[in-house]
Amino acid sequence: MTEVVAGVTAAPVAKAGGVSPAKVFWATWLGWMLDGFDAAIYGYILVAALSELLPASGIEASRANIGIYGGLLFSIFMLGWACSMVWGWAADRYGRVRMMCWTVLVYSVFTALCGLSTGIVTFAVFRFLAGFGIGGEWAAGTPLLHESVPETTRVRLAGWLHTATPTGLFLAAFVTLVGGNLLGWRGMFFLGILPALLTVYLRINIPEPARTRPTEATRSSFAELFARGQAQTTWAAALLMACIIFGLWSSNFWAPTVIITKLTAAGSTPAHAQQMGAIAGLITNVGTLAGCLLMPWVTGALGSRRWTAVLFFLGSLVSVVASYEVAIAHLDSLTLFLILLPILGFFTNGVFGLFTIWLPEMFPSALRGAGSGFAFSLGRVLGAAGPTLIGALAAATGSYPLAISLLSLIYVVGLPFIALAPETANRPLAK
């Protein structure tokens, strides 16, 4: 079977590490897809959950308070994600598969426990711990894929790995649309326990990559990420991740909330508003899926990881402003907003398809989990400010679209960091 990967004709696919590339891809893809599902549930049931939990905690469930606490809880979840950098180091030291199993188990259990919350404090704790688990899955799973498949198919499979996220978001939107009113917000969180079943499959069917099984001779210290010759790459990667995470969680994940809030204010029933929010999520993820599927070919056509990043950063800025400030704030057109959502998803979420390819390429094997995990996690620490700022700005200005559009300038801030990151196009994975 001959394949074209980023403009290079590939050799026949062979098994790597005693397991087929397809099996490794689908195992890691499924873990990341279920991450996306668990993470997306919150956006669809935010209003319903806080409408119950805020009064239970002695806080009025006003529109302003839902915006403020909703943003704060987004940030708490992302801070849990940020604290997950330890998973990447553990994956380098103790094995990719073992740590991936633990991350899946942690995020499954604590997502389900969110459905048992009795107040805003317990809800925040469970969201933090769910984020801690979700953040580690990528740091273990992405290096596992890169190191387990042939070089000739690595770029294509790594680029396609992020299709798991929009698929998970599709699934969350579909479940909300079909059964959200029946299950209620608590029932939606209870579904989060299902990914735990993946851990059994992983332990039985997926071995550690043979060339990266940790030994005393190959283990590196976390400090080596900041040694001469590596520090610039580490910091550039982390700051790039901060920009795209800040941008994503400050833009298209707010689309359901914007629509639900707008329709509710116009007199729609809560059930209809929630259904329209779910539809908005589905439409957005059509664009995200397209961006991820096309990413290996986009990077191949441009011949550069850096220029691909520039394209997606600028596209993200333009699509955010067009969707929120133009379509909603100035034209007051939900129809135009819905039309623009696939473009928004293509750029703001599709850009992660580039980093599933690029980020593991920036680090040698002994530091790949730690480096990828640190970059993604520190990016979440810095990016965690986005949702809180959105909630606060929306409460202060009375406008979600204006707040979201202002914060989209983060993509301009990120442009210089692209130049500091190493160009790895058309180079084999570092060993």
Side-chain angles (χ1 to χ4, degrees), residues 33 36 161-171 281 284-290 292 349:
M33 185 275 288
L161 178 61
H162 197 70
T163 62
T165 295
T167 303
L169 302 181
F170 267 125
L171 182 60
T284 305
N285 289 315
V286 169
T288 301
L289 188 60
C292 295
N349 207 345

Side-chain angles (χ1 to χ4, degrees), residues 20 25 36 40 71 79 86 89 98 108 116-117 121 130 161 184 212 237 242 283 342 352 358 360 373 384 426:
S20 72
F25 172 78
L79 285 174
V86 66
W89 169 83
R98 180 183 297 177
S108 299
L116 298 177
S117 301
V121 174
L161 178 61
T212 58
I283 294 172
F352 283 85
W358 195 12
N426 302 315

Side-chain angles (χ1 to χ4, degrees), residues 19 23-32 34-35 96-105 107-108 137 140-141 144-145 195-208:
V19 64
K23 182 176 285 189
V24 176
F25 172 78
W26 287 114
T28 53
W29 184 93
L30 186 60
W32 196 230
L34 293 170
D35 272 5
R96 315 284 192 222
V97 177
R98 180 183 297 177
M99 290 303 108
M100 186 175 169
C101 288
W102 276 107
T103 64
V104 173
L105 186 62
Y107 79 68
S108 299
E137 198 278 332
L144 171 64
L145 176 66
L197 300 175
L198 178 63
T199 61
V200 178
Y201 176 83
L202 288 170
R203 292 301 293 167
I204 294 174
N205 291 278
I206 307 298
E208 293 293 338

Side-chain angles (χ1 to χ4, degrees), residues 86-280:
V86 66
W87 292 112
W89 169 83
D92 286 338
R93 191 168 184 83
Y94 301 111
R96 315 284 192 222
V97 177
R98 180 183 297 177
M99 290 303 108
M100 186 175 169
C101 288
W102 276 107
T103 64
V104 173
L105 186 62
V106 169
Y107 79 68
S108 299
V109 169
F110 286 103
T111 296
L113 286 175
C114 287
L116 298 177
S117 301
T118 57
I120 201 72
V121 174
T122 55
F123 188 57
V125 170
F126 292 147
R127 289 294 294 167
F128 176 88
L129 292 171
F132 178 69
I134 284 178
E137 198 278 332
W138 196 94
T142 306
L144 171 64
L145 176 66
H146 275 265
E147 296 164 354
S148 298
V149 302
E151 186 64 35
T152 50
T153 59
R154 180 181 60 80
V155 171
R156 178 170 58 85
L157 293 178
W160 285 0
L161 178 61
H162 197 70
T163 62
T165 295
T167 303
L169 302 181
F170 267 125
L171 182 60
F174 177 77
V175 171
T176 301
L177 188 63
V178 173
N181 291 327
L182 178 63
L183 292 171
W185 70 268
R186 293 184 185 276
M188 291 287 289
F189 275 123
F190 291 153
L191 293 177
I193 196 63
L194 296 178
L197 300 175
L198 178 63
T199 61
V200 178
Y201 176 83
L202 288 170
R203 292 301 293 167
I204 294 174
N205 291 278
I206 307 298
E208 293 293 338
R211 60 177 173 167
T212 58
R213 286 176 184 143
T215 66
E216 290 297 331
T218 60
R219 286 171 178 162
S220 297
S221 69
F222 192 82
E224 290 182 44
L225 288 173
F226 310 99
R228 182 185 296 269
Q230 186 63 55
Q232 178 176 310
T233 294
T234 300
W235 287 113
L239 292 170
L240 283 171
M241 294 308 300
C243 291
I244 64 174
I245 292 169
F246 185 104
L248 175 68
W249 287 80
S250 301
S251 59
N252 66 353
F253 278 147
W254 285 91
T257 301
V258 168
I259 287 181
I260 291 170
T261 302
K262 193 171 184 63
L263 289 176
T264 301
S268 294
T269 65
H272 173 69
Q274 181 168 293
Q275 286 182 333
M276 288 303 298
I279 290 172

Side-chain angles (χ1 to χ4, degrees), residues 76-89:
I76 289 172
F77 175 73
M78 290 178 68
L79 285 174
W81 234 349
C83 294
S84 66
M85 65 179 68
V86 66
W87 292 112
W89 169 83

Side-chain angles (χ1 to χ4, degrees), residues 370-389:
S372 298
F374 175 79
F376 226 140
S377 297
L378 185 65
R380 292 181 186 114
V381 171
L382 301 177
T388 296
L389 287 174

